[in-house]
Amino acid sequence: MQTILQANNVQKKFGTRDNIYTALKDINLEITEGEFVGVMGPSGAGKSTLLNIFSTIDTPTSGDVIIAGQNIVTMKDAQLSDFRRQKLGFIFQDYNLLDTLTVKENILLPLAISKVPAAEIEKRVDEIADIFGIRNILNKYPYHISGGQKQRTAASRAIVTKPSLVLADEPTGALDSKSASSLLESMRTLNETHKSTIMMVTHDAYAASYCKRVIFIKDGELYKELYKNSQSRKAFFQSILEVLGALGGGHLDTI
């Protein structure tokens, strides 16, 4: 399997010489093509810092991050902008949809910016709308649809470009349980049938149970990994809860 993401000795420090906080300590991590990886950990563990580095929002203090064969740490701003658009897909908690565009127009926007031919755009939008179950709302505007439909629209937009890596930041955080389940089922289908590579940061063990592998971070370091393998989702969910309990349990947030 092709390696999509490789982090080598990634460190991230904040602060000045007299007051330095180390958010990430020598993170070594590999994600291969077709994986669905969850990242979990207590508040302040470094989850969001890691996601920000992988998404090119932030840079590590030291170490290398290679995505789709390219070292993003050495890229200039213009290169990063192109790389982000061509190779990465993002699913955020707050949708980031444009209210002046229909659902269909929101989804196809990144394709139009990249000047993909119209026939190919139609084909991709129809395909992704079917996966996420939103074909019947393509002509509606964001303010006319539910939160769950907005998130599935946002996920469709992130994936319609066929990125090398999809980065999801608490995608179910603002959804009710039914909408969350619908989104997660769609993401699992996308991963299994289209081999999309997904990394999802979440505090929710239920959401993480849809992944094939879950990475736990504690105090800026990799703490443990769980593989689903042949377990049922329910059994994997229980395994995740056990690790979270060992980590300290309590309230696990998105920091």
Side-chain angles (χ1 to χ4, degrees):
M1 275 290 186
Q2 180 184 356
T3 299
I4 297 297
L5 182 150
Q6 186 171 346
N8 298 324
N9 300 316
V10 170
Q11 284 201 20
K12 182 63 181 181
K13 298 181 179 181
F14 296 100
T16 58
R17 188 185 311 169
D18 298 326
N19 187 24
I20 293 177
Y21 169 66
T22 302
L24 296 174
K25 307 169 186 176
D26 292 320
I27 296 290
N28 290 285
L29 174 63
E30 190 172 294
I31 295 175
T32 57
E33 185 178 16
E35 279 202 280
F36 188 174
V37 179
V39 179
M40 304 191 78
S43 172
K47 304 186 300 297
S48 290
T49 302
L50 190 67
L51 185 73
N52 287 343
I53 288 172
F54 291 167
S55 63
T56 75
I57 292 171
D58 202 353
T59 55
T61 305
S62 61
D64 293 303
V65 178
I66 300 162
I67 300 177
Q70 299 182 64
N71 191 343
I72 63 173
V73 175
T74 61
M75 289 183 183
K76 305 297 183 185
D77 286 348
Q79 289 176 294
L80 280 173
S81 180
D82 289 341
F83 180 84
R84 201 179 296 123
R85 187 176 68 252
Q86 295 166 8
K87 300 294 185 181
L88 301 179
F90 301 96
I91 307 174
F92 302 103
Q93 185 173 327
D94 54 359
Y95 320 133
N96 288 342
L97 299 177
L98 297 174
D99 281 339
T100 55
L101 301 181
T102 64
V103 166
K104 182 177 181 178
E105 290 165 343
N106 267 284
I107 294 170
L108 65 79
L109 184 60
L111 297 178
I113 291 171
S114 298
K115 299 181 179 177
V116 174
E120 177 66 14
I121 288 177
E122 288 291 330
K123 178 184 174 185
R124 288 205 208 173
V125 170
D126 285 346
E127 183 180 48
I128 208 76
D130 283 340
I131 290 172
F132 282 94
I134 54 172
R135 184 185 276 270
N136 63 326
I137 61 164
L138 286 177
N139 294 319
K140 293 187 177 182
Y141 288 87
Y143 47 83
H144 287 147
I145 62 178
S146 69
Q149 290 170 327
K150 287 178 183 177
Q151 189 59 296
R152 280 181 275 153
T153 299
S156 299
R157 180 188 57 194
I159 288 152
V160 76
T161 57
K162 299 183 178 179
S164 299
L165 178 65
V166 176
L167 297 165
D169 186 9
E170 293 289 350
T172 61
L175 303 181
D176 60 61
S177 59
K178 183 179 179 181
S179 296
S181 295
S182 177
L183 175 69
L184 291 163
E185 288 287 357
S186 296
M187 290 174 68
R188 181 164 65 179
T189 297
L190 193 78
N191 169 252
E192 292 179 351
T193 62
H194 292 258
K195 306 304 179 188
S196 293
T197 307
I198 305 170
M199 176 182 147
M200 176 176 67
V201 169
T202 182
H203 73 282
D204 182 2
Y206 175 77
S209 70
Y210 280 81
C211 300
K212 293 177 178 176
R213 172 166 60 124
V214 179
I215 297 165
F216 298 87
I217 297 179
K218 181 180 182 182
D219 299 328
E221 298 179 286
L222 296 185
Y223 172 77
K224 191 178 181 68
E225 287 183 281
L226 284 183
Y227 287 84
K228 182 175 184 290
N229 296 323
S230 59
Q231 292 181 82
S232 67
R233 192 179 60 75
K234 185 175 181 180
F236 193 41
F237 172 70
Q238 291 299 324
S239 298
I240 292 166
L241 287 179
E242 288 173 11
V243 176
L244 290 177
L247 266 171
H251 177 67
L252 295 162
D253 65 22
T254 61
I255 294 174

